[in-house]
Amino acid sequence: MKVSTIKNKILVLLVFMATFIAGYSDDIKVGMECGYAPFNWFQNDSKNGAVKVDGGYCGGYDVEIAKVIAKKLNKKLVVVKTKWDALLGPALTSGKVDLVIAGMSATPERRQSLKFSKPYYESDLVVVVKKNGKYANAKTINDFVGAKITGQLNTLHYDVIDQMKGVKKQTAMESFPAMIVALNSGKIDGYISERPGAMAAQFSNPNLKFISFDKKDGFKYDTEEVNVAVGMKLGNTELEEKVNKILDEDLTPKVRQQIMEKAIQNQPNETSRSFFGWVTFFVQNNWKTFLKGTAVTLFISVTGTIVGFFIGLVVALFRYSEAEIDGQTKKYKKGGLKILNRIFSIYIAVFRGTPMIVQSMVIYYGLSQVFNLNLSPLLAALFIVSINTGAYMSEIIRGGIDSIDTGQFEAAKAIGMTNFQLMKSIIFPQMFRNILPMIGNELIVNIKDTSVLNVISVTELFFISNSVAGTYSRYYEVFIITSVIYFFLTFTLSSILKQIEKRIDGPQNFEFLDDVNGEEK
């Protein structure tokens, strides 16, 4: 048998094995917010059966439902803490999660892009208000004239506000903890919720209450639009049938009600504390969580800045090489440099002209959905920050090269130095010192801009802070701590960079030396 034939068979076997391994997994990845009690919430330990997620643990009704489904499917449960907007489609269609169990209603709009199981909880819509507030005694949805009402973004909750006559519909909010904070601070007068979420809000916030309505006095909607179901990728009929069978046989209405009652009792409660009491509480109980978020933020920003510098250096040198084209340059080299320069110009324009938050969504979910390239959140974050920084660095470096007097270029060429020698020995040392403050500025910007990476579930400092704040609905105290950490990072790194600049510049105290004739210059 020929060697080439053996190689071909081995190659086919490897491809088959890789395909088989890639297509099979013992894990079932379930997406949820971990911020919508009693359905799901974030906590610091595994108490009451919470499941490990990046940065902490996730517990609640949805977690318990997911456990049963995973067990019956003979899969290991992996909970993926994900932003609500991503749960509405990108996370499933890109393969980042297999199921969405997040208190999500199967609305007609969502059914166009997702497949849903039978309901795993039946509910109705209520309004959450302050217990002693102006609208605490409302009986119908038309008793809220003049009230500032809101609901969660991209949900039926927000749409039904239009049925309330005379209300001031506020901008939709991203999460229920954020709405509880807004209600407690007087920014809004109420928000729309499903009954379990309202019960949980009232349980953990005694100063709140929810108002339910008779059928004739309440909101008009199809019950399917409020009954929550398990979401999965469109076309996955086999998985849908398995989940529905589990819901029918193992998660009967009685079992589900028992799970919900237990979840409401187990959810984290808000205790009455002063401002400094809350700050002390969060520092004492979550310092490891904050430390992890800080470490991830620092790692991504420093690594991204360093890699971005080298990307920018390569791009800037290629663009500089094209500027040096003359009549003696070979035609193929001239054409190649022009093509590269055009590509690099587009790269710079795109990544400088679009927000990093948009780039994150497109790269993280788009690469997986279109090219089946499934990057981890951390790897995707490093890639995004690096190429984004590279676009800015290329222009900074180009400006640094242009700032050097042209006479130095001409003198180097006059004594026979190559372009490499010129750049290495003369241009680069001066250019690096000139742009060092701007490199430091890029690093500081990256430390702050990593906060946008929370949209792809990177467990950086902002993501961690948001999770902690959402658990207790205490955003002000948590983000005061977060602000202090960000300031400490940026101030410390700025001070270090200033010291580096001084070391490069050398001593500033010097005196003129006497010339050979003893005369002072």
Side-chain angles (χ1 to χ4, degrees), residues 308-324 341 344-345 348-349 352 389-406 409 423 427-428 430-432 434-436 438-439:
F309 172 79
F310 286 106
I311 293 173
L313 181 62
V314 171
V315 172
L317 290 178
F318 268 107
R319 300 189 76 193
Y320 170 75
S321 298
E322 201 226 349
E324 293 293 300
N341 186 51
F344 288 143
S345 296
I348 292 169
R352 291 177 70 199
T389 303
Y392 287 93
M393 283 291 189
S394 66
E395 291 298 284
I396 291 172
I397 293 171
R398 185 176 65 84
I401 294 174
D402 290 342
S403 68
I404 298 171
D405 187 80
T406 55
F409 290 86
M423 285 293 173
I427 305 304
F428 186 82
Q430 298 179 76
M431 176 271 293
F432 183 77
N434 290 344
I435 68 171
L436 188 56
M438 288 172 277
I439 294 175

Side-chain angles (χ1 to χ4, degrees), residues 286-311:
N286 298 275
W287 67 270
K288 290 183 180 179
T289 306
F290 283 119
L291 187 62
K292 179 182 177 180
T294 303
V296 172
T297 291
L298 205 55
F299 173 69
I300 293 172
S301 55
V302 172
T303 305
T305 303
I306 293 172
V307 175
F309 172 79
F310 286 106
I311 293 173

Side-chain angles (χ1 to χ4, degrees), residues 224-264:
E224 286 190 359
E225 294 185 273
V226 295
N227 292 340
V228 296
V230 179
M232 58 202 83
K233 194 172 183 179
L234 199 64
N236 198 342
T237 307
E238 182 182 356
L239 183 58
E240 179 192 16
E241 291 174 353
K242 290 180 179 179
V243 171
N244 283 337
K245 184 179 179 182
I246 295 169
L247 291 175
D248 288 336
E249 297 179 359
D250 302 283
L251 290 167
T252 61
K254 183 179 179 180
V255 171
R256 298 201 300 265
Q257 185 59 36
Q258 291 173 347
I259 294 174
M260 177 57 78
E261 290 173 359
K262 188 176 179 181
I264 293 175

Side-chain angles (χ1 to χ4, degrees), residues 81-369:
K81 187 178 185 300
T82 308
K83 300 279 284 186
W84 175 253
D85 285 349
L87 292 174
L88 295 177
L92 277 172
T93 55
S94 63
K96 301 297 182 182
V97 299
D98 303 306
L99 298 173
V100 171
I101 305 180
M104 182 184 289
S105 303
T107 63
E109 293 79 12
R110 291 174 189 161
R111 287 185 181 276
Q112 294 178 13
S113 56
L114 302 175
K115 182 172 282 294
F116 286 93
S117 69
K118 295 178 179 179
Y120 69 91
Y121 194 84
E122 291 78 22
S123 186
D124 59 338
L125 295 182
V126 299
V127 180
V128 181
V129 297
K130 283 188 175 181
K131 190 174 184 178
N132 298 317
K134 181 179 177 181
Y135 304 96
N137 297 318
K139 301 296 182 184
T140 73
I141 60 172
N142 294 322
D143 292 338
F144 293 87
V145 177
K148 295 179 286 186
I149 305 293
T150 189
Q152 189 178 27
L153 182 68
N154 295 325
T155 64
L156 174 69
H157 306 169
Y158 191 65
D159 295 336
V160 298
I161 297 176
D162 295 331
Q163 299 178 23
M164 305 172 75
K165 295 180 180 179
V167 302
K168 298 176 181 178
K169 188 176 183 179
Q170 303 297 294
T171 303
M173 303 187 76
E174 191 173 6
S175 67
F176 283 88
M179 287 187 280
I180 292 173
V181 172
L183 181 57
N184 280 325
S185 62
K187 301 295 183 183
I188 59 173
D189 297 308
Y191 67 86
I192 312 299
S193 173
E194 292 168 15
R195 185 181 291 269
M199 291 169 63
Q202 180 177 286
F203 183 78
S204 60
N205 297 266
N207 62 315
L208 303 182
K209 65 174 291 187
F210 68 90
I211 300 172
S212 57
F213 309 98
D214 295 333
K215 190 172 183 180
K216 62 184 180 64
D217 296 322
F219 298 105
K220 302 296 185 290
Y221 52 83
D222 190 332
T223 54
E224 286 190 359
E225 294 185 273
V226 295
N227 292 340
V228 296
V230 179
M232 58 202 83
K233 194 172 183 179
L234 199 64
N236 198 342
T237 307
E238 182 182 356
L239 183 58
E240 179 192 16
E241 291 174 353
K242 290 180 179 179
V243 171
N244 283 337
K245 184 179 179 182
I246 295 169
L247 291 175
D248 288 336
E249 297 179 359
D250 302 283
L251 290 167
T252 61
K254 183 179 179 180
V255 171
R256 298 201 300 265
Q257 185 59 36
Q258 291 173 347
I259 294 174
M260 177 57 78
E261 290 173 359
K262 188 176 179 181
I264 293 175
Q265 292 175 358
N266 291 338
Q267 67 172 329
N269 294 330
E270 180 177 337
T271 307
S272 179
R273 293 185 177 92
S274 65
F275 168 77
F276 291 105
W278 275 112
V279 171
T280 303
F281 171 80
F282 286 126
V283 171
Q284 289 178 342
N285 291 275
N286 298 275
W287 67 270
K288 290 183 180 179
T289 306
F290 283 119
L291 187 62
K292 179 182 177 180
T294 303
V296 172
T297 291
L298 205 55
F299 173 69
I300 293 172
S301 55
V302 172
T303 305
T305 303
I306 293 172
V307 175
F309 172 79
F310 286 106
I311 293 173
L313 181 62
V314 171
V315 172
L317 290 178
F318 268 107
R319 300 189 76 193
Y320 170 75
S321 298
E322 201 226 349
E324 293 293 300
I325 290 176
D326 54 28
Q328 297 180 348
T329 306
K330 293 181 180 180
K331 186 177 290 186
Y332 74 88
K333 184 178 180 181
K334 187 186 297 184
L337 287 172
K338 284 187 176 181
I339 292 172
L340 281 174
N341 186 51
R342 184 61 60 86
I343 293 172
F344 288 143
S345 296
I346 294 172
Y347 156 66
I348 292 169
V350 169
F351 281 92
R352 291 177 70 199
T354 55
M356 190 187 290
I357 191 170
V358 176
Q359 296 166 16
S360 301
M361 294 291 286
V362 171
I363 291 172
Y364 181 66
Y365 293 112
L367 288 180
S368 181
Q369 188 172 344

Side-chain angles (χ1 to χ4, degrees), residues 427-467:
I427 305 304
F428 186 82
Q430 298 179 76
M431 176 271 293
F432 183 77
R433 173 60 189 90
N434 290 344
I435 68 171
L436 188 56
M438 288 172 277
I439 294 175
N441 186 58
E442 278 297 308
L443 174 59
I444 300 304
V445 168
N446 281 341
I447 288 174
K448 295 181 289 185
D449 280 358
T450 53
S451 59
V452 306
L453 297 171
N454 77 92
V455 299
I456 59 171
S457 304
V458 178
T459 53
E460 42 71 48
L461 182 56
F462 182 85
F463 182 91
I464 291 294
S465 301
N466 213 25
S467 300

Side-chain angles (χ1 to χ4, degrees), residues 509-521:
N509 298 324
F510 57 88
E511 58 183 11
F512 290 108
L513 298 176
D514 294 341
D515 63 10
V516 293
N517 297 322
E519 296 178 356
E520 187 176 318
K521 287 186 178 180

